[in-house]
Amino acid sequence: MSETVIVDYDAGNLRSVQRACAEVGLAAVISADPAHLARAERIIFPGVGQAGSAMATLARTGLGEALRRRLADGVPVLGICLGLQISLSHSEEGDTPTLGLVPGETRRFQFADPTLKVPHMGWNSITVTQAHPVLADLHEDDAFYFVHSYYTAPADPQVVLATAIYEQPFCCAVGQNNYVGVQFHTEKSGRAGLALLARFAAWDGRFRPLAPAQEGSAC
Amino acid sequence: MLTKRLIACLDVRNGQLAKSVKFVDTKDIGDPVAKAREYYEDGLDELVFYDITASSDERRIMLDVVEAVAAQVFIPLSVGGGVRTVADATDLRLAGAEKINVNSAAVQRPALIDECAHALGNQNVVLSMDILRVAPTAEVPSGYEIVINGGRLRTGRDALAWALEGVQRGAGELVVNSIDADGTRDGYELTLTRLLSEAVRVPVIASGGAGTPQHLVDALTEGAADAVLVASMVHFGDYRCSELKQALADAGLPMRMRW
């Protein structure tokens, strides 16, 4: 039987994610058991908190390794907020080596305008830069709820699915094979967020980025 | 672009919605869960529940309200009132609150802010401040004094200094509630709101006194607030959330207009 597991690594309000999943008909269990994760058919990797303590918990519990294996098996994985950030290779938050599921860095916001508030907190619109099944059918006025002081900078620009603007455009959604991650709290983003979760629930984990346009390309 | 937020505050006493005028004379005005759902459907950006239940024996009722709301309202939910310990905050978080508001107990024991920030993350700790305008003194040089216990007790603490200390200790957001303006519907205390918003790098929510859509516009422009908190305006049916958001958008403010 197919099972969706929300990874419980002591980082944030997982029941919010579970409730939002229930609202879109996705029965998800919250689990801190790596064996449970190893059987999951779909994984949600949420998180709120600090990169360092999150990584320590993932290492201590074996959840990080279980997640890595299951991702390699091709299971669809959705990272949310800190879950996305620590999916990259390194975070500036406490200079922390992170999971490296997607090559790249998590950086702290640096603004030219000293009056800009940190964290970037509130509802912001996003621009889809790379079509992806999980981000399909978005309306340009759809807004999502963000709360974060760090943002992801993937090494490969091809994995950037969407950007948002807070003084500068920053990457707010990442897609690589069967991994997709969003910086915003899709579980707290009203109907637009629920629709995204519903699309993740229906996603088979397949994604191939469009090749960059090349002059004279045969296809 | 980051939008300004419309936040509705629901005061809850013994599981019922209440609204006070100048912090006294509370009257019950209905079921908080139904109201929360109604506002969510109508485009509200964020909800704040304030537990004004007198007796701590009845805190379980509030947790049930939070649970029920969190199961059907998918926007950020902030809860405060009577949070004295990290355990109180954790209970509310488990029930479904994203953010925890601390107020009087933090004034009496400021380390509560540090403890909550450590346990929940700075972004989830909101320092809610009830503020009274006073003649400036050496003790209260800004002319704004922190009051606690629902506005009944003056503390002799300067509001500006307390805001700075609160952020330093880990508060990720401030609610600036003017006791003078609360319930009057004469407009927010703009001077106070701007003073605090410009002093800190965390978002500031203007609270107390909103009566017309223009008051909201003023708080977000002249008051330099990041969000506006309303209560009476929407609770008694004078305005709908969508109508207020439309008015803010019409005034040129960035708002989330699709929900």
Side-chain angles (χ1 to χ4, degrees):
Chain A
M1 184 180 141
S2 134
E3 188 165 56
T4 299
V5 171
I6 299 170
V7 186
D8 178 5
Y9 60 107
D10 200 18
N13 201 348
L14 307 181
R15 284 175 70 193
S16 292
V17 177
Q18 189 181 37
R19 287 185 184 103
C21 286
E23 183 73 6
V24 301
L26 179 64
V29 297
I30 296 171
S31 177
D33 179 2
H36 204 165
L37 200 56
R39 296 191 303 271
E41 292 302 323
R42 197 172 293 280
I43 295 170
I44 299 179
F45 184 42
V48 167
Q50 293 179 318
S53 57
M55 286 306 299
T57 306
L58 287 170
R60 177 170 45 75
T61 56
L63 284 165
E65 196 45 43
L67 174 65
R68 187 190 311 279
R69 284 211 202 103
R70 211 61 190 126
L71 184 70
D73 293 340
V75 164
V77 175
L78 171 64
I80 300 175
C81 196
L82 182 69
L84 164 64
Q85 294 181 356
I86 62 176
S87 295
L88 277 79
S89 327
H90 179 265
S91 175
E92 284 185 0
E93 188 178 18
D95 189 15
T96 308
T98 46
L99 294 168
L101 308 176
V102 178
E105 264 258 308
T106 294
R107 298 189 179 136
R108 188 171 169 84
F109 277 126
Q110 303 284 354
F111 302 118
D113 175 358
T115 67
L116 271 187
K117 309 272 171 121
V118 183
H120 168 232
M121 181 189 284
W123 296 79
N124 206 331
S125 51
I126 72 171
T127 302
V128 175
T129 54
Q130 172 91 258
H132 190 285
V134 174
L135 295 182
D137 307 320
L138 282 183
H139 186 277
E140 62 175 333
D141 291 335
D142 279 338
F144 295 87
Y145 186 75
F146 289 81
V147 186
H148 61 124
S149 303
Y150 294 80
Y151 66 96
T152 55
D156 176 3
Q158 285 251 84
V159 306
V160 176
L161 301 181
T163 57
I165 297 175
Y166 195 48
E167 187 175 75
Q168 297 287 324
F170 66 91
C171 166
C172 69
V174 167
Q176 177 184 280
N177 305 320
N178 50 314
Y179 179 91
V180 63
V182 293
Q183 179 57 63
F184 45 83
H185 287 274
T186 197
E187 76 280 10
K188 284 287 159 184
S189 295
R191 272 188 224 296
L194 293 174
L196 189 150
L197 267 180
R199 285 188 299 266
F200 173 71
W203 183 42
D204 62 5
R206 273 185 290 196
F207 168 63
R208 208 167 282 283
L210 295 170
Q214 279 175 16
E215 283 294 323
S217 164
C219 47
Chain B
M1 180 174 198
L2 183 64
T3 63
K4 300 292 184 180
R5 283 173 284 155
L6 178 70
I7 303 175
C9 181
L10 301 155
D11 286 345
V12 177
R13 186 180 49 197
N14 303 326
Q16 287 294 304
L17 199 53
K19 177 58 199 158
S20 64
V21 176
K22 289 218 181 228
F23 272 68
V24 288
D25 253 3
T26 60
K27 48 182 170 179
D28 293 342
I29 54 170
D31 171 16
V33 182
K35 274 284 186 204
R37 180 78 196 185
E38 175 194 329
Y39 296 164
Y40 164 65
E41 299 280 353
D42 197 35
L44 186 73
D45 296 315
E46 190 165 331
L47 262 172
V48 180
F49 278 104
Y50 227 78
D51 189 0
I52 57 169
T53 304
S55 152
S56 57
D57 307 345
E58 274 142 5
R59 293 196 62 82
R60 182 65 231 174
I61 303 173
M62 189 61 190
L63 294 175
D64 291 342
V65 168
V66 173
E67 289 247 10
V69 170
Q72 45 178 305
V73 169
F74 300 97
I75 55 175
L77 179 57
S78 178
V79 182
V83 176
R84 285 185 181 78
T85 63
V86 170
D88 293 337
T90 306
D91 286 347
L92 288 166
R93 284 269 292 174
L94 284 175
E98 259 63 55
K99 303 181 191 177
I100 301 302
N101 287 47
V102 294
N103 190 334
S104 302
V107 175
Q108 287 158 333
R109 193 176 67 82
L112 176 63
I113 301 173
D114 307 65
E115 291 161 13
C116 287
H118 186 257
L120 315 176
N122 291 18
Q123 72 274 14
N124 295 317
V125 181
V126 182
L127 177 60
S128 199
M129 301 181 295
D130 294 327
I131 300 169
L132 189 67
R133 194 169 39 220
V134 296
T137 59
E139 200 183 24
V140 185
S142 72
Y144 290 103
E145 181 176 342
I146 296 290
V147 291
I148 58 170
N149 295 353
R152 288 186 293 271
L153 185 64
R154 291 177 61 169
T155 63
R157 208 179 251 269
D158 186 85
L160 177 59
W162 176 231
L164 293 169
E165 181 181 341
V167 171
Q168 177 76 29
R169 287 179 176 275
E173 201 169 15
L174 300 180
V175 174
V176 176
N177 186 46
S178 164
I179 295 291
D180 305 286
D182 183 69
T184 63
R185 303 196 184 201
D186 290 337
Y188 295 98
E189 226 284 23
L190 300 177
T191 310
L192 167 68
T193 307
R194 185 171 199 100
L195 175 74
L196 296 191
S197 188
E198 289 183 340
V200 298
R201 287 284 307 266
V202 300
V204 163
I205 302 168
S207 167
T212 69
Q214 187 58 43
H215 292 153
L216 277 57
V217 175
D218 294 343
L220 296 169
T221 52
E222 275 180 66
D226 299 282
V228 280
L229 192 139
V230 294
S232 326
M233 277 183 93
V234 291
H235 296 336
F236 300 118
D238 300 326
Y239 293 93
R240 289 170 55 81
C241 295
S242 52
E243 187 182 355
L244 293 176
K245 291 186 69 168
Q246 187 61 54
L248 293 169
D250 290 345
L253 289 159
M255 301 301 296
R256 175 179 71 114
M257 293 308 292
R258 188 181 149 88
W259 51 82

mmCIF file of all heavy atoms in Angstrom, chain B residues 73-97:
data_model
loop_
_atom_site.group_PDB
_atom_site.id
_atom_site.type_symbol
_atom_site.label_atom_id
_atom_site.label_comp_id
_atom_site.label_asym_id
_atom_site.label_seq_id
_atom_site.Cartn_x
_atom_site.Cartn_y
_atom_site.Cartn_z
ATOM 1 N N VAL B 73 -8.349 26.084 8.284
ATOM 2 C CA VAL B 73 -7.922 27.411 7.837
ATOM 3 C C VAL B 73 -6.443 27.323 7.473
ATOM 4 O O VAL B 73 -5.607 27.059 8.333
ATOM 5 C CB VAL B 73 -8.173 28.442 8.956
ATOM 6 C CG1 VAL B 73 -7.512 29.757 8.639
ATOM 7 C CG2 VAL B 73 -9.672 28.638 9.146
ATOM 8 N N PHE B 74 -6.125 27.508 6.187
ATOM 9 C CA PHE B 74 -4.756 27.248 5.739
ATOM 10 C C PHE B 74 -3.998 28.534 5.453
ATOM 11 O O PHE B 74 -3.463 28.758 4.366
ATOM 12 C CB PHE B 74 -4.793 26.285 4.556
ATOM 13 C CG PHE B 74 -5.436 24.987 4.942
ATOM 14 C CD1 PHE B 74 -6.776 24.750 4.670
ATOM 15 C CD2 PHE B 74 -4.726 24.042 5.661
ATOM 16 C CE1 PHE B 74 -7.391 23.572 5.077
ATOM 17 C CE2 PHE B 74 -5.324 22.864 6.076
ATOM 18 C CZ PHE B 74 -6.660 22.624 5.780
ATOM 19 N N ILE B 75 -3.992 29.389 6.473
ATOM 20 C CA ILE B 75 -3.159 30.587 6.465
ATOM 21 C C ILE B 75 -2.448 30.627 7.822
ATOM 22 O O ILE B 75 -2.829 29.881 8.732
ATOM 23 C CB ILE B 75 -4.005 31.879 6.253
ATOM 24 C CG1 ILE B 75 -5.126 31.978 7.285
ATOM 25 C CG2 ILE B 75 -4.554 31.937 4.829
ATOM 26 C CD1 ILE B 75 -5.939 33.265 7.221
ATOM 27 N N PRO B 76 -1.435 31.458 7.972
ATOM 28 C CA PRO B 76 -0.725 31.478 9.248
ATOM 29 C C PRO B 76 -1.648 31.823 10.413
ATOM 30 O O PRO B 76 -2.518 32.676 10.305
ATOM 31 C CB PRO B 76 0.332 32.563 9.045
ATOM 32 C CG PRO B 76 0.523 32.617 7.581
ATOM 33 C CD PRO B 76 -0.819 32.331 6.982
ATOM 34 N N LEU B 77 -1.414 31.123 11.491
ATOM 35 C CA LEU B 77 -2.237 31.247 12.680
ATOM 36 C C LEU B 77 -1.322 31.567 13.857
ATOM 37 O O LEU B 77 -0.355 30.862 14.104
ATOM 38 C CB LEU B 77 -2.952 29.899 12.871
ATOM 39 C CG LEU B 77 -3.861 29.693 14.044
ATOM 40 C CD1 LEU B 77 -4.957 30.741 14.045
ATOM 41 C CD2 LEU B 77 -4.483 28.297 13.932
ATOM 42 N N SER B 78 -1.648 32.641 14.523
ATOM 43 C CA SER B 78 -0.823 33.106 15.630
ATOM 44 C C SER B 78 -1.698 33.102 16.883
ATOM 45 O O SER B 78 -2.867 33.466 16.797
ATOM 46 C CB SER B 78 -0.377 34.520 15.255
ATOM 47 O OG SER B 78 0.388 35.103 16.240
ATOM 48 N N VAL B 79 -1.137 32.660 17.998
ATOM 49 C CA VAL B 79 -1.950 32.582 19.212
ATOM 50 C C VAL B 79 -1.205 33.177 20.386
ATOM 51 O O VAL B 79 0.000 32.984 20.549
ATOM 52 C CB VAL B 79 -2.339 31.117 19.543
ATOM 53 C CG1 VAL B 79 -3.228 31.075 20.787
ATOM 54 C CG2 VAL B 79 -3.067 30.464 18.378
ATOM 55 N N GLY B 80 -1.949 33.917 21.188
ATOM 56 C CA GLY B 80 -1.342 34.495 22.388
ATOM 57 C C GLY B 80 -2.340 34.559 23.515
ATOM 58 O O GLY B 80 -3.468 34.099 23.392
ATOM 59 N N GLY B 81 -1.884 35.167 24.594
ATOM 60 C CA GLY B 81 -2.735 35.293 25.766
ATOM 61 C C GLY B 81 -2.351 34.236 26.781
ATOM 62 O O GLY B 81 -2.559 33.054 26.556
ATOM 63 N N GLY B 82 -1.758 34.664 27.850
ATOM 64 C CA GLY B 82 -1.438 33.730 28.923
ATOM 65 C C GLY B 82 -0.272 32.794 28.659
ATOM 66 O O GLY B 82 -0.118 31.797 29.356
ATOM 67 N N VAL B 83 0.567 33.105 27.651
ATOM 68 C CA VAL B 83 1.750 32.259 27.431
ATOM 69 C C VAL B 83 2.829 32.667 28.443
ATOM 70 O O VAL B 83 3.347 33.776 28.391
ATOM 71 C CB VAL B 83 2.289 32.394 25.991
ATOM 72 C CG1 VAL B 83 3.569 31.598 25.821
ATOM 73 C CG2 VAL B 83 1.234 31.948 24.988
ATOM 74 N N ARG B 84 3.097 31.761 29.388
ATOM 75 C CA ARG B 84 4.048 32.082 30.456
ATOM 76 C C ARG B 84 5.319 31.254 30.379
ATOM 77 O O ARG B 84 6.339 31.612 30.938
ATOM 78 C CB ARG B 84 3.397 31.840 31.823
ATOM 79 C CG ARG B 84 2.403 32.910 32.167
ATOM 80 C CD ARG B 84 1.828 32.771 33.571
ATOM 81 N NE ARG B 84 0.871 33.848 33.764
ATOM 82 C CZ ARG B 84 -0.364 33.840 33.269
ATOM 83 N NH1 ARG B 84 -0.789 32.782 32.600
ATOM 84 N NH2 ARG B 84 -1.171 34.869 33.450
ATOM 85 N N THR B 85 5.215 30.110 29.716
ATOM 86 C CA THR B 85 6.356 29.198 29.675
ATOM 87 C C THR B 85 6.496 28.630 28.264
ATOM 88 O O THR B 85 5.568 28.710 27.466
ATOM 89 C CB THR B 85 6.133 27.998 30.628
ATOM 90 O OG1 THR B 85 4.991 27.271 30.156
ATOM 91 C CG2 THR B 85 5.888 28.451 32.050
ATOM 92 N N VAL B 86 7.642 28.026 28.008
ATOM 93 C CA VAL B 86 7.853 27.356 26.733
ATOM 94 C C VAL B 86 6.839 26.222 26.578
ATOM 95 O O VAL B 86 6.367 25.944 25.474
ATOM 96 C CB VAL B 86 9.302 26.831 26.622
ATOM 97 C CG1 VAL B 86 9.463 25.927 25.413
ATOM 98 C CG2 VAL B 86 10.266 28.005 26.525
ATOM 99 N N ALA B 87 6.468 25.591 27.696
ATOM 100 C CA ALA B 87 5.479 24.497 27.623
ATOM 101 C C ALA B 87 4.141 25.024 27.114
ATOM 102 O O ALA B 87 3.492 24.377 26.293
ATOM 103 C CB ALA B 87 5.321 23.844 28.993
ATOM 104 N N ASP B 88 3.727 26.217 27.587
ATOM 105 C CA ASP B 88 2.481 26.821 27.077
ATOM 106 C C ASP B 88 2.590 27.023 25.571
ATOM 107 O O ASP B 88 1.667 26.731 24.814
ATOM 108 C CB ASP B 88 2.237 28.211 27.694
ATOM 109 C CG ASP B 88 1.945 28.160 29.190
ATOM 110 O OD1 ASP B 88 1.501 27.098 29.662
ATOM 111 O OD2 ASP B 88 2.152 29.188 29.867
ATOM 112 N N ALA B 89 3.737 27.551 25.148
ATOM 113 C CA ALA B 89 3.951 27.845 23.734
ATOM 114 C C ALA B 89 3.935 26.561 22.919
ATOM 115 O O ALA B 89 3.332 26.490 21.850
ATOM 116 C CB ALA B 89 5.280 28.578 23.545
ATOM 117 N N THR B 90 4.572 25.529 23.442
ATOM 118 C CA THR B 90 4.646 24.257 22.733
ATOM 119 C C THR B 90 3.268 23.617 22.594
ATOM 120 O O THR B 90 2.926 23.072 21.545
ATOM 121 C CB THR B 90 5.625 23.303 23.462
ATOM 122 O OG1 THR B 90 6.857 23.993 23.598
ATOM 123 C CG2 THR B 90 5.855 22.039 22.680
ATOM 124 N N ASP B 91 2.455 23.721 23.655
ATOM 125 C CA ASP B 91 1.085 23.188 23.587
ATOM 126 C C ASP B 91 0.305 23.851 22.461
ATOM 127 O O ASP B 91 -0.408 23.190 21.702
ATOM 128 C CB ASP B 91 0.330 23.444 24.900
ATOM 129 C CG ASP B 91 0.802 22.529 26.020
ATOM 130 O OD1 ASP B 91 1.526 21.554 25.721
ATOM 131 O OD2 ASP B 91 0.443 22.793 27.181
ATOM 132 N N LEU B 92 0.447 25.171 22.360
ATOM 133 C CA LEU B 92 -0.279 25.915 21.322
ATOM 134 C C LEU B 92 0.239 25.555 19.935
ATOM 135 O O LEU B 92 -0.516 25.431 18.982
ATOM 136 C CB LEU B 92 -0.162 27.422 21.567
ATOM 137 C CG LEU B 92 -0.979 27.930 22.761
ATOM 138 C CD1 LEU B 92 -0.557 29.346 23.154
ATOM 139 C CD2 LEU B 92 -2.476 27.898 22.446
ATOM 140 N N ARG B 93 1.556 25.360 19.845
ATOM 141 C CA ARG B 93 2.146 24.977 18.565
ATOM 142 C C ARG B 93 1.630 23.615 18.133
ATOM 143 O O ARG B 93 1.276 23.414 16.990
ATOM 144 C CB ARG B 93 3.672 24.913 18.705
ATOM 145 C CG ARG B 93 4.307 26.270 18.729
ATOM 146 C CD ARG B 93 4.677 26.724 17.349
ATOM 147 N NE ARG B 93 5.762 25.926 16.798
ATOM 148 C CZ ARG B 93 6.190 26.046 15.558
ATOM 149 N NH1 ARG B 93 5.636 26.912 14.742
ATOM 150 N NH2 ARG B 93 7.192 25.309 15.130
ATOM 151 N N LEU B 94 1.573 22.692 19.083
ATOM 152 C CA LEU B 94 1.093 21.353 18.754
ATOM 153 C C LEU B 94 -0.366 21.389 18.339
ATOM 154 O O LEU B 94 -0.802 20.634 17.486
ATOM 155 C CB LEU B 94 1.291 20.397 19.941
ATOM 156 C CG LEU B 94 2.724 19.933 20.130
ATOM 157 C CD1 LEU B 94 2.854 19.094 21.391
ATOM 158 C CD2 LEU B 94 3.212 19.126 18.924
ATOM 159 N N ALA B 95 -1.118 22.296 18.942
ATOM 160 C CA ALA B 95 -2.530 22.415 18.595
ATOM 161 C C ALA B 95 -2.697 23.006 17.195
ATOM 162 O O ALA B 95 -3.756 22.874 16.591
ATOM 163 C CB ALA B 95 -3.254 23.265 19.625
ATOM 164 N N GLY B 96 -1.664 23.672 16.682
ATOM 165 C CA GLY B 96 -1.758 24.153 15.305
ATOM 166 C C GLY B 96 -1.374 25.602 15.074
ATOM 167 O O GLY B 96 -1.520 26.105 13.970
ATOM 168 N N ALA B 97 -0.887 26.289 16.112
ATOM 169 C CA ALA B 97 -0.467 27.684 15.922
ATOM 170 C C ALA B 97 0.938 27.710 15.324
ATOM 171 O O ALA B 97 1.808 26.965 15.761
ATOM 172 C CB ALA B 97 -0.476 28.418 17.252
#
